[in-house]
Amino acid sequence: MPASGKIGIVPAWGAVIAMALCATILISSEFMPVSLLSPIARDLAITEGHAGQSISISGFFALITSLFISAIIGVSDRRRVVLIFTVLMIVSGVMVALAPNAPLLMAGRALLGVAIGGFWSISAAIVMRLVPEESVPNALAILNGGNAVATTLGAPIGSLIGGLIGWRGAFFCVVPLAVVALAWQWRSLPALPPEKATIRARDVFALLKHRQFAIGMIAVSLFFFGQFTLFTYLRPFLDLVTGNDAPLISAILLALGIAGFVGTIMIGWLLKSHLYSLLITIPAMLAVIAITMVEIDGTPLTAGLLLTLWGLLATAAPVGWWTWLSRTMPHEAEAGGGLMVAIIQLAIMLGAIVGGALFDAWGYRGPFSVAAGLLVIASLLAFVTSRIGAARRLAEQPA
């Protein structure tokens, strides 16, 4: 089997696309409650803040899994590991769709969290082994493009299907797509034995001794914390703005998703020469959008325009951070990827928890205002990271 990222290997683009499909379905599953919080809460007789914890619970289990997955899977073939996580996603989808109460819903979401944490921790390292070194950026863009596709399809289609056949039907629709992803990965993924000795959990945390990486991870955590403090509670906000008009809500979410897809394509062209500018600018602009939504009188038109801009920026940002990781820690892709996924999932979990408490106490203005503050700090830390990177590159130049 060809070695990782070696120039001259035969690229396995079919396997890359299969991985991107699985990523799309995982992300759609993870954030589908965003567009269905209100009907879930009504059906299960819980508050919308409580229903929002279905995202935080998946984030918690994704966090735990991503921290220890390298030590758990040891010398197992990574192909087999990916297939197992895809099966867990299928089982989770069935459990959530059939859940008669909140505890069983949360159990299904916990299982999904295990699949998310495991898959995303090793996915970048796997994709880097499937194509020649010069094609790695394109392959990572395809993998992260699954994020944009999920944003494009997950929220608006979840809302639309939920309005037609109920939220349970919306969740169950994910299952056959996951089965297709499983079959495609089974056929296309080559054997992928581990490239290095088993990584211990303490080796993962040791990466934080790298100053630029550590500050970058704090910036990542605050970015996703702020993003999902707001994003998790978009549906109740849109219910208020649109008067609970389901088709209009679906249209706004679709515009947000399409903008996210466009943003992901655009950022791929810009990353080669403007990586740090994007990492600094995007959270700052999202903070402005969040504050604007708090301060102005919400109408469907203004909310739609602001959220379209939000989608254009927010969905593209993870592509930037994964590219940053591949450049900052190129020889620690699996360990660094696992730690980054853990940090992102912790941030998503905190966003759902804090946002839920703020929403139940003060309505949408609470989580939206806090989100803006977190995003400003994320922008400042991205700037610090850029300065450290510039100093590092200067020091490495020959005298």
Side-chain angles (χ1 to χ4, degrees):
M1 198 56 218
S4 166
K6 295 289 184 63
I7 298 175
I9 72 171
V10 178
W13 289 109
V16 172
I17 296 172
M19 293 282 289
L21 175 62
C22 189
T24 301
I25 300 167
L26 274 171
I27 296 170
S28 296
S29 300
E30 182 174 14
F31 300 123
M32 190 173 287
V34 169
S35 62
L36 298 168
L37 280 187
S38 300
I40 290 173
R42 286 194 298 268
D43 189 33
L44 299 182
I46 56 179
T47 68
E48 288 166 331
H50 187 183
Q53 306 316 314
S54 62
I55 294 177
S56 65
I57 195 72
S58 63
F60 174 76
F61 279 87
L63 163 66
I64 299 300
T65 303
S66 57
L67 282 177
F68 299 103
I69 187 61
S70 294
I72 293 171
I73 61 179
V75 296
S76 300
D77 188 304
R78 274 31 179 180
R79 174 184 182 272
R80 184 179 300 113
V81 173
V82 167
L83 295 175
I84 290 172
F85 286 133
T86 307
V87 170
L88 291 180
M89 176 172 60
I90 295 170
V91 175
S92 167
V94 174
M95 287 180 63
V96 170
L98 300 178
N101 51 47
L104 286 179
L105 172 75
M106 299 300 176
R109 297 290 296 175
L111 197 60
L112 177 67
V114 173
I116 292 167
F119 177 88
W120 276 108
S121 295
I122 62 176
S123 59
I126 288 176
V127 165
M128 290 170 67
R129 298 175 63 182
L130 296 174
V131 297
E133 185 175 348
E134 69 272 14
S135 298
V136 166
N138 290 335
L140 287 173
I142 291 173
L143 178 67
N144 284 281
N147 184 15
V149 173
T151 304
T152 303
L153 298 179
I157 290 183
S159 177
L160 179 62
I161 295 176
L164 294 174
I165 60 176
W167 66 269
R168 296 180 187 276
F171 276 101
F172 191 78
C173 285
V174 171
V175 174
L177 294 175
V179 171
V180 171
L182 176 66
W184 194 348
Q185 288 176 137
W186 181 279
R187 292 290 301 274
S188 63
L189 279 172
L192 294 165
E195 291 190 298
K196 57 190 297 186
T198 302
I199 301 172
R200 298 167 296 180
R202 66 184 182 185
D203 296 331
V204 175
F205 289 106
L207 297 177
L208 293 174
K209 295 178 181 178
H210 188 294
R211 185 181 174 210
Q212 185 184 12
F213 179 75
I215 296 176
M217 288 298 97
I218 298 173
V220 169
S221 67
L222 291 176
F223 174 82
F224 281 92
F225 188 1
Q227 180 183 355
F228 285 94
T229 297
L230 182 151
F231 185 71
T232 306
Y233 298 94
L234 274 185
R235 174 60 189 264
F237 167 72
L238 291 175
D239 281 343
L240 180 64
V241 168
T242 66
N244 203 27
D245 186 333
L248 183 55
I249 291 172
S250 296
I252 292 174
L253 292 174
L254 180 61
L256 182 151
I258 292 173
F261 184 72
V262 172
T264 302
I265 295 173
M266 291 172 59
I267 200 174
W269 296 338
L270 297 172
L271 282 174
K272 291 183 180 179
S273 56
H274 301 286
L275 173 60
Y276 283 108
S277 296
L278 292 167
L279 295 180
I280 295 166
T281 303
I282 287 176
M285 293 182 68
L286 291 178
V288 172
I289 294 171
I291 288 297
T292 303
M293 286 194 289
V294 170
E295 294 299 329
I296 66 172
D297 292 330
T299 66
L301 178 60
T302 55
L305 291 174
L306 288 169
L307 290 177
T308 297
L309 182 57
W310 177 280
L312 183 72
L313 299 170
T315 309
V319 183
W321 280 113
W322 280 107
T323 302
W324 173 85
L325 176 66
S326 70
R327 294 183 186 179
T328 306
M329 309 292 285
H331 304 298
E332 299 288 351
E334 190 168 301
L339 185 56
M340 183 163 162
V341 169
I343 288 170
I344 290 172
Q345 292 300 327
L346 175 61
I348 291 172
M349 178 184 69
L350 290 175
I353 293 172
V354 173
L358 292 170
F359 185 89
D360 287 344
W362 292 292
Y364 74 88
R365 287 183 173 82
F368 284 26
S369 299
V370 171
L374 293 168
L375 289 165
V376 168
I377 300 173
S379 177
L380 294 173
L381 288 176
F383 173 77
V384 173
T385 304
S386 73
R387 295 299 88 202
I388 296 173
R392 177 184 174 190
R393 290 190 298 272
L394 183 62
E396 290 174 351
Q397 290 180 357

